[in-house]
Amino acid sequence: MTKPHLFLIGGATKRMIQAFNQHFTLHSRRDIDDIDGFLAEMGDKITAVATNGHSGISAKYMNAFPNLQVISCYGVGYDAIDCAPAVARGIQISHTPDVLNIDVANHALLLLLAASRNLIAEDTHARSGQWASAGNLGLSTSITGKTVGIIGLGRIGLEIARKLAAFDCDVVYHNRRKRGDVVYKYYDDLTQMARDCWAVIAITPGGQATQHLVDADVINAIGPQGIFVNVARGSVVDQPALIAALTDGRLGFAALDVFAAEPEIPDALSALPNTILTSHIASATHETRTAMGDLMVENLLEFFATGSVKTPVPECAHLC
Ligand code: NDP
């Protein structure tokens, strides 16, 4: 049997490449110099695309692959994929939910704890040789007993809430809809929730619906003693408004894994001492990336065996 032709956009682990080569005829974008020549010659043979939450798939590739049947995304967030035209063509799209919940939640907690205990400044101080002469830095803030608001109490948000309970935090949340299966207090007004919280953690999807959900009003409401953690998408927060509030002290601290124009981080943000910044690595452990890669491959294999994928994005669930 001939192997289906798979077009890979973005990077993949060795284990994923091995699986792709075993089951597919692999065409990696990174190995193709003359992309227009490739698309003209091979475009109609490509039936599967493997991509990630950052790269997505451009209209150029969508149009160049008239026989495309399935797009498998390495990541749970798929806002970089324009689903509507794909769904209209009956193309199935899968992503990798659940397998990354624990490590993304762990990273959110790591950022929150590091922010509240001033970890980066403490590390710098301890290495500086100034401890003996200058003494200790100022006191930090305990997480225990504080109210923490979660924007996006979904799969990962629930895992964050579960972990916050171990620190005796009072968890509250904002979604578009109140959940019927949790005891946490619900706010339909995000600014009001921010006013009532010591810290706010964003873990919604990106895209149009959440664009600048965390605006200047929400940032001001978190306040000068407050902490904002973003492990969602950079688009969820108004980044210039965030930088302005951190600069003039209207917001206490921001711990950010995601940014508006990744991989660029504005100097005005990286220069701020009241921030901790990581390079979109919340799910980037050996264990979780292996599980994500395996699920991405399983989705492709399942599609070519049965005609449907294991973990479709909600927009495609009706195709399975
Ligand atoms: P889920 O779909 O399980 O949860 C998303 C939650 O966000 C739901 O509770 C949903 O509730 C809420 N939500 C969606 N839209 C809005 C809106 N417009 N306003 C308010 N709340 C909203 O997703 P996951 O928990 O699996 O993943 C969430 C996101 O986390 C991903 O899409 C991705 O963007 C991000 N992520 C980031 C990672 C990183 O490396 N930093 C790694 C993994 C994920 P409702 O529908 O009721 O509004």
Side-chain angles (χ1 to χ4, degrees):
M1 208 181 81
T2 54
K3 294 175 178 176
H5 288 265
L6 172 72
F7 186 74
L8 170 64
I9 302 168
T13 62
K14 276 189 191 150
R15 184 180 166 100
M16 285 156 69
I17 296 285
Q18 239 171 15
F20 291 153
N21 278 322
Q22 187 183 344
H23 300 285
F24 300 92
T25 301
L26 176 63
H27 308 274
S28 174
R29 171 65 188 94
R30 290 185 176 176
D31 298 336
I32 300 168
D33 292 331
D34 174 14
I35 187 65
D36 290 328
F38 171 84
L39 295 178
E41 190 189 335
M42 293 297 298
D44 62 348
K45 297 196 176 54
I46 302 293
T47 50
V49 161
T51 186
N52 58 59
H54 185 69
S55 305
I57 174 168
S58 66
K60 175 175 174 161
Y61 294 142
M62 284 288 287
N63 296 335
F65 303 149
N67 298 313
L68 183 61
Q69 297 172 38
V70 61
I71 300 169
S72 187
C73 178
Y74 177 55
V76 68
Y78 57 96
D79 44 297
I81 299 174
D82 189 2
C83 291
V87 173
R89 279 171 55 182
I91 296 168
Q92 297 210 16
I93 307 169
S94 65
H95 63 154
T96 60
D98 290 317
V99 293
L100 39 61
N101 293 354
I102 289 175
D103 271 323
V104 178
N106 285 350
H107 195 66
L109 265 289
L110 174 69
L111 289 175
L112 182 58
L113 283 168
S116 69
R117 297 306 303 266
N118 209 15
L119 183 73
I120 304 299
E122 288 292 355
D123 178 82
T124 305
H125 183 60
R127 291 167 197 275
S128 71
Q130 304 294 306
W131 185 8
S133 56
N136 285 115
L137 300 182
L139 300 182
S140 60
T141 304
S142 175
I143 185 176
T144 302
K146 298 292 191 303
T147 300
V148 179
I150 297 176
I151 313 175
L153 194 74
R155 289 173 292 246
I156 301 168
L158 276 176
E159 187 61 30
I160 294 172
R162 203 175 67 78
K163 290 175 191 297
L164 285 168
F167 293 93
D168 294 323
C169 289
D170 186 18
V171 173
V172 300
Y173 74 103
H174 167 76
N175 277 0
R176 286 167 301 185
R177 286 171 293 270
K178 186 177 193 296
R179 294 183 66 123
D181 58 349
V182 297
V183 295
Y184 309 120
K185 180 174 177 183
Y186 172 71
Y187 286 80
D188 66 357
D189 181 339
L190 175 55
T191 308
Q192 186 57 52
M193 180 180 89
R195 241 177 246 130
D196 292 351
C197 287
W198 163 69
V200 169
I201 301 173
I203 184 65
T204 60
Q208 283 279 308
T210 55
Q211 174 84 15
H212 293 185
L213 189 60
V214 178
D215 60 11
D217 287 345
V218 175
I219 292 166
N220 288 337
I222 301 170
Q225 307 304 321
I227 296 172
F228 173 61
V229 176
N230 191 4
V231 281
R233 285 288 184 264
S235 58
V236 172
V237 60
D238 180 342
Q239 191 167 278
L242 181 73
I243 294 170
L246 286 163
T247 304
D248 61 27
R250 278 176 289 118
L251 176 65
F253 205 102
L256 311 170
D257 185 47
V258 287
F259 305 89
E262 294 176 12
E264 301 303 323
I265 299 178
D267 291 344
L269 181 56
S270 41
L272 286 169
N274 48 348
T275 57
I276 292 175
L277 313 178
T278 56
S279 314
H280 201 151
I281 46 84
S283 70
T285 64
H286 292 294
E287 295 82 357
T288 288
R289 288 290 168 88
T290 299
M292 288 165 63
D294 287 354
L295 181 52
M296 184 221 215
V297 172
E298 270 175 56
N299 273 310
L300 289 169
L301 298 183
E302 176 104 356
F303 178 79
F304 285 102
T306 69
S308 53
V309 295
K310 206 172 156 190
T311 50
V313 301
E315 290 86 341
C316 287
H318 66 285
L319 298 173
C320 291

